Amino acid sequence: MVASAFTSSAVTGVAKVARVASSCAVVFPLARIATVVIGGVVAVEAVPMVLSVMGFTATGITSSSIAAKMMSAAAIANGGGVAPGSLVAILQSLGATGLSGLTRFILGSTGSAIAAGIARFY
């Protein structure tokens, strides 16, 4: 009798918890989750490709590219040299060495947040 009373009260308790949890749970559609994940992956993978296309490569700045034009403008503005810490210097550094783990994390988080914001409207 004691075992059946315990089992009955345990089942009733679990049923109550399940009822409360089901009314409080947030259910995300699989398509929205996929959109957020894809947004993060695209952001992380697109940046190195864009830098390469612009002309910021591991071997240096490609001639006749957007990067070369940016470098020329920066050099003219600074009297013949590219200033350390300038946009051109930072982009060339990223193009030459790649993205750090922290940079990948920040890009992935930003891409996921943007994708989540866009997915909210569809």
Side-chain angles (χ1 to χ4, degrees):
M1 180 73 171
V2 173
S4 65
F6 176 74
T7 306
S8 174
S9 66
V11 169
T12 304
V14 169
K16 287 180 183 177
V17 169
R19 238 187 343 260
V20 170
S22 67
S23 66
C24 295
V26 177
V27 179
F28 292 112
L30 186 58
R32 186 172 290 175
I33 293 170
T35 302
V36 170
V37 170
I38 290 170
V41 171
V42 166
V44 170
E45 296 301 321
V47 169
M49 278 193 299
V50 169
L51 286 173
S52 178
V53 167
M54 287 178 66
F56 297 104
T57 65
T59 58
I61 292 181
T62 307
S63 63
S64 300
S65 65
I66 295 171
K69 291 177 176 104
M70 288 175 66
M71 184 177 171
S72 174
I76 291 169
N78 289 320
V82 177
S86 66
L87 179 62
V88 174
I90 292 170
L91 292 177
Q92 178 52 39
S93 176
L94 288 174
T97 61
L99 303 175
S100 69
L102 178 62
T103 305
R104 288 179 177 272
F105 175 76
I106 292 169
L107 282 172
S109 299
T110 304
S112 294
I114 291 170
I118 292 171
R120 193 171 58 140
F121 294 110
Y122 294 103

